Amino acid sequence: MSTSPVLLLRALLLALLVAVAAPVIAQASDPTPLQFNDAAEEARFHKLTAELRCVMCQNQSLADSNAQIAHDLRREVLDLMRQGKDDAQVKQFLVDRYGEFVLYKPDVAPGTYILWFGPLLLLLAGGVWVGRIVARRAKQPGPATDDNDQEW
């Protein structure tokens, strides 16, 4: 009994779909949600995790990410808060571990000057460039027009 090429192609396609979908299925949500002692702790936690970047997603805050490392880091943040550390100490712990990248709003320091002042410098340079082009064109004589020879 021979297998048809269509059945073989379907089986191969199904195997490919399962292989591609496996990481999505494996990344389930956090099995045990965090329990907060009071509303103030919860508000502080949410404010703090919104200011921290997920080190895997890079484009989402720690509060918004569903990556497993984000779940782990949220638990770590809550543990540090319960150890009595203030927000600056929690942030410093994560910066020591993952670098300045973990902060959505890094400190203004020599290492981050380009981040803070780079857009302003680019805007100024673009303004100077456009200003020079406009000034150069203003100095050039306009095209000669002879209204008498034109027919509309």
Side-chain angles (χ1 to χ4, degrees):
M1 197 170 152
S2 66
T3 59
S4 104
V6 174
L7 288 175
L8 187 61
L9 184 61
R10 284 184 183 173
L12 185 61
L13 183 60
L14 180 62
L16 180 66
L17 286 174
V18 169
V20 169
V24 175
I25 295 167
Q27 187 177 357
S29 64
D30 200 5
T32 56
L34 297 174
Q35 299 294 320
F36 300 101
N37 294 332
D38 55 21
E41 182 183 63
E42 184 176 3
R44 179 179 169 217
F45 173 82
H46 289 299
K47 180 182 179 295
L48 189 56
T49 56
E51 295 173 2
L52 298 168
R53 185 187 316 266
C54 175
V55 295
M56 183 178 154
C57 304
Q58 301 179 2
N59 212 12
Q60 289 181 311
S61 71
L62 206 55
D64 297 332
S65 175
N66 282 328
Q68 186 59 46
I69 192 166
H71 291 289
D72 296 341
L73 287 176
R74 284 193 292 266
R75 290 193 183 287
E76 186 73 32
V77 166
L78 187 58
D79 289 342
L80 291 170
M81 287 172 50
R82 288 182 176 162
Q83 291 173 15
K85 300 198 185 292
D86 63 9
D87 291 358
Q89 290 171 322
V90 171
K91 289 178 183 178
Q92 188 58 49
F93 174 82
L94 292 172
V95 166
D96 291 343
R97 221 168 170 190
Y98 299 104
E100 289 272 332
F101 177 78
V102 77
L103 300 176
Y104 262 123
K105 196 173 179 183
D107 296 329
V108 178
T112 59
Y113 282 165
I114 193 74
L115 174 71
W116 284 102
F117 304 115
L120 179 62
L121 292 175
L122 286 174
L123 184 65
L124 288 173
V128 168
W129 182 61
V130 168
R132 292 182 77 186
I133 290 174
V134 168
R136 190 177 324 132
R137 288 189 180 174
K139 289 180 184 178
Q140 293 177 350
T145 60
D146 189 12
D147 292 334
N148 297 333
D149 294 337
Q150 289 185 0
E151 290 185 26
W152 295 94

